[in-house]
C-alpha cells in the first residue's frame, strides 16, 4: 500500500500567469517599429571660455591719429604735367632761337630752363619726403596689425626692414641682441614686442633726453626773458627744431611740407587726447605751476611753456616711432615735469 503525500500550500495567486503576460505585452519588442514625435530644435549651449582666457588682458596700444589716405596721385600727376610742359616749352624755344639765329632768346630760354629744373627738383624732393612720411605711417599701421595678430613668420623680416629704414646698423649691440633672442617658435607679435623693448627703446631713451632738454630750455627761456612775443616766437622755432631732431633719431627725413604735416598731426593728437589723460596732466600742471608761481610769476609761465613743449615732444615721438606705444613702456610726462620744475627752481635760486 502506497504512502499518502502531505498537502502543499502555494502562496502565489492564481492570476500571476496573467500578470506575467501583461508585463510581457507592455515590454516593447526589440525589432518593433518606433515612431518618434517631432521634438524641439536642438540649440547648442554657449561654451564658456576658460578662466585663463577671460582673465588675460589684451595688449594695450596707444591709439594714434594718422592722416587719411587721400588721392596720392594728384600732386605727382600735377608735377609730372608741369615738368612736361616746361620741357616742351624749353625745347621749342631753343629750336626756334636756333632757326632764327636769335642768340639772346636762346640764352634766356636756357636760363629759364635751368631755373625751372631747379624748382622741379625741389618740388620732387618735397613730394618724395612727404611720400616717405606716409610710408612711415603705413609701417605703423602694419606693425599694429601684426602686434594684434597670431601670425608666424613675418615679424623678423618686417623688423629688419624697419631697422634698415631707421638707419640702424646690423652691428649695433641692441639689434644684435634682438636678433640673437628670437627663434622660429616666436610669433610675429612676440618678435615685434621684443624689437620694441630692445631696439626701439634705445631710440626712445635718446628722444626722451632730447625732449627733456628742449622743454627745460624753453621753460628757462620764458622765465628769464622779459618779452612775451619774442618768447613765443623762440619757443615755436625751438619746437620745430625739436621735431626735426626727433625725426633724425628715428631715421625719418623731413622736408618743408612733411614737417608741416607732422606738426599738424602732433597738434591734432594733442587735441584728441583722452579725457582722463588731460585731467591727470592738467591737475599735475596746476600743482606744479602753483609751486613755481610762489617763486615768481615768470617761473609759472615758464613751467607752462616747458610742459607744453614736453607734451608736444611726446606726441611727436608717438608719431615717429615705427610702432605704437605699449602702455607698459610708454614714456610718462611726470619725470619731464620734475626736470622742468628743478630747472626753474635752480634759476630762481640764482
Amino acid at each position: 500500500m502506497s504512502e499518502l503525500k502531505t498537502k502543499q500550500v502555494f502562496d502565489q495567486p492564481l492570476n500571476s500567469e496573467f500578470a506575467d503576460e501583461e508585463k510581457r505585452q507592455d515590454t516593447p519588442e526589440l525589432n518593433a517599429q518606433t515612431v518618434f514625435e517631432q521634438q524641439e530644435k536642438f540649440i547648442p549651449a554657449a561654451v564658456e571660455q576658460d578662466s585663463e582666457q577671460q582673465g588675460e588682458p589684451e595688449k594695450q596700444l596707444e591709439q594714434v591719429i594718422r592722416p587719411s589716405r587721400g588721392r596720392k596721385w594728384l600732386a605727382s600727376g600735377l608735377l609730372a604735367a608741369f615738368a612736361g610742359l616746361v620741357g616742351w616749352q624749353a625745347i621749342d624755344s631753343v629750336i626756334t632761337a636756333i632757326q632764327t639765329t636769335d642768340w639772346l632768346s636762346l640764352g634766356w630760354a636756357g636760363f629759364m630752363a635751368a631755373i625751372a629744373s631747379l624748382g622741379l627738383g625741389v618740388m620732387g624732393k618735397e613730394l618724395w619726403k612727404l611720400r616717405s612720411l606716409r610710408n612711415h605711417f603705413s609701417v605703423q599701421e602694419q606693425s599694429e596689425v601684426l602686434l594684434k595678430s597670431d601670425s608666424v613668420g613675418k615679424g623678423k623680416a618686417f623688423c629688419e626692414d624697419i631697422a634698415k629704414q631707421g638707419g640702424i646698423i646690423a652691428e649695433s649691440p641692441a639689434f644684435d641682441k634682438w636678433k640673437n633672442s628670437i627663434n622660429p617658435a616666436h610669433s610675429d607679435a612676440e618678435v615685434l614686442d621684443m624689437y620694441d623693448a630692445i631696439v626701439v627703446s634705445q631710440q626712445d631713451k635718446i628722444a626722451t633726453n632730447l625732449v627733456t632738454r628742449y622743454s627745460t630750455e624753453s621753460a628757462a627761456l620764458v622765465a628769464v626773458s622779459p618779452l612775451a612775443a619774442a618768447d613765443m616766437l623762440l619757443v615755436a622755432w625751438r619746437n620745430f627744431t625739436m621735431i626735426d631732431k626727433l625725426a633724425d633719431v628715428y631715421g625719418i627725413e623731413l622736408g618743408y611740407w612733411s614737417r608741416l604735416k607732422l606738426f599738424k598731426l602732433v597738434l591734432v593728437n594733442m587735441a584728441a587726447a583722452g579725457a582722463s589723460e588731460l585731467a591727470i596732466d592738467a591737475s599735475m600742471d596746476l600743482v606744479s605751476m602753483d609751486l613755481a608761481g610762489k617763486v615768481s610769476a615768470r617761473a609759472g609761465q615758464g613751467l607752462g611753456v616747458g610742459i607744453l613743449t614736453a607734451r608736444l615732444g611726446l606726441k611727436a615721438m608717438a608719431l615717429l616711432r615705427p610702432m605704437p606705444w605699449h602702455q607698459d613702456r610708454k614714456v610718462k610726462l611726470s619725470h619731464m615735469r620734475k626736470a622742468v620744475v628743478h630747472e626753474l627752481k635752480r634759476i630762481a635760486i640764482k
Side-chain angles (χ1 to χ4, degrees):
M1 213 178 147
S2 62
E3 295 180 359
L4 297 175
K5 296 181 179 180
T6 60
K7 67 177 181 179
Q8 296 181 359
V9 179
F10 298 93
D11 296 332
Q12 185 177 3
L14 296 176
N15 59 353
S16 62
E17 296 180 358
F18 297 99
D20 295 339
E21 184 68 22
E22 290 179 357
K23 290 181 180 180
R24 286 194 297 270
Q25 291 178 0
D26 294 339
T27 304
E29 297 181 4
L30 295 177
N31 297 330
Q33 181 179 2
T34 305
V35 179
F36 297 95
E37 296 181 358
Q38 185 176 1
Q39 298 179 356
E40 296 181 357
K41 295 182 178 179
F42 174 75
I43 301 176
V47 180
E48 297 183 356
Q49 296 181 355
D50 297 338
S51 58
E52 296 180 357
Q53 295 179 357
Q54 291 179 354
E56 183 180 358
E58 295 182 357
K59 295 181 178 179
Q60 299 294 328
L61 301 177
E62 183 183 11
Q63 298 296 327
V64 179
I65 300 177
R66 303 180 183 92
S68 59
R69 297 180 180 180
R71 298 180 178 179
K72 302 178 181 179
W73 52 268
L74 183 59
S76 301
L78 291 176
L79 181 62
F82 180 71
L85 291 175
V86 169
W88 187 5
Q89 181 65 43
I91 294 173
D92 183 70
S93 300
V94 170
I95 293 175
T96 303
I98 293 175
Q99 290 177 352
T100 59
T101 63
D102 189 356
W103 307 116
L104 181 61
S105 298
L106 180 62
W108 277 109
F111 180 72
M112 297 302 296
I115 293 179
S117 300
L118 291 176
L120 288 173
V122 172
M123 293 175 64
K125 189 176 181 180
E126 289 292 331
L127 287 177
W128 178 261
K129 292 180 180 179
L130 189 60
R131 183 182 178 183
S132 300
L133 183 63
R134 288 173 178 169
N135 291 336
H136 167 72
F137 291 139
S138 66
V139 168
Q140 272 191 341
E141 294 175 355
Q142 294 174 15
S143 63
E144 188 172 353
V145 171
L146 288 176
L147 284 170
K148 294 180 179 180
S149 67
D150 297 328
S151 60
V152 178
K154 301 178 182 178
K156 183 178 179 181
F158 182 77
C159 292
E160 288 176 350
D161 291 339
I162 290 178
K164 185 177 179 181
Q165 295 175 7
I168 298 175
I169 59 176
E171 293 79 12
S172 63
F175 186 80
D176 186 66
K177 180 180 178 182
W178 165 79
K179 201 168 184 179
N180 294 328
S181 300
I182 60 176
N183 57 66
H186 288 142
S187 63
D188 293 338
E190 292 173 342
V191 172
L192 265 69
D193 189 68
M194 285 191 294
Y195 183 83
D196 186 20
I198 297 175
V199 181
V200 183
S201 62
Q202 300 299 321
Q203 295 175 310
D204 292 337
K205 290 180 181 179
I206 301 174
T208 302
N209 294 332
L210 190 65
V211 173
T212 304
R213 180 168 65 85
Y214 270 86
S215 58
T216 53
E217 289 178 357
S218 297
L221 182 65
V222 173
V224 300
S225 176
L227 301 176
D231 294 345
M232 293 300 102
L233 291 176
L234 288 174
V235 168
W237 172 70
R238 290 185 64 81
N239 287 340
F240 275 105
T241 306
M242 178 184 65
I243 291 178
D244 285 342
K245 291 186 178 297
L246 289 175
D248 293 337
V249 170
Y250 292 103
I252 301 173
E253 187 178 2
L254 296 177
Y256 177 76
W257 292 109
S258 57
R259 187 180 295 108
L260 292 179
K261 185 73 172 179
L262 180 61
F263 193 76
K264 177 183 176 182
L265 289 172
V266 169
L267 296 180
V268 169
N269 280 272
M270 289 179 63
S276 59
E277 179 183 354
L278 286 177
I280 294 173
D281 290 343
S283 60
M284 295 302 298
D285 294 348
L286 289 175
V287 173
S288 301
M289 290 172 65
D290 181 64
L291 293 175
K294 292 180 180 179
V295 179
S296 67
R298 298 296 297 176
Q301 295 176 2
L303 178 62
V305 172
I307 294 175
L308 181 62
T309 302
R311 189 178 291 115
L312 186 75
L314 289 179
K315 291 300 179 182
M317 288 174 61
L319 286 168
L320 292 170
R321 297 177 87 252
M323 52 191 65
W325 283 112
H326 194 281
Q327 294 296 336
D328 297 337
R329 292 187 291 269
K330 183 180 178 181
V331 178
K332 304 296 182 182
L333 187 64
S334 58
H335 73 280
M336 294 185 182
R337 185 187 295 110
K338 293 178 182 178
V340 173
V341 173
H342 178 72
E343 181 68 17
L344 291 176
K345 287 182 178 179
R346 187 182 64 82
I347 294 175
I349 293 174
K350 289 182 178 180

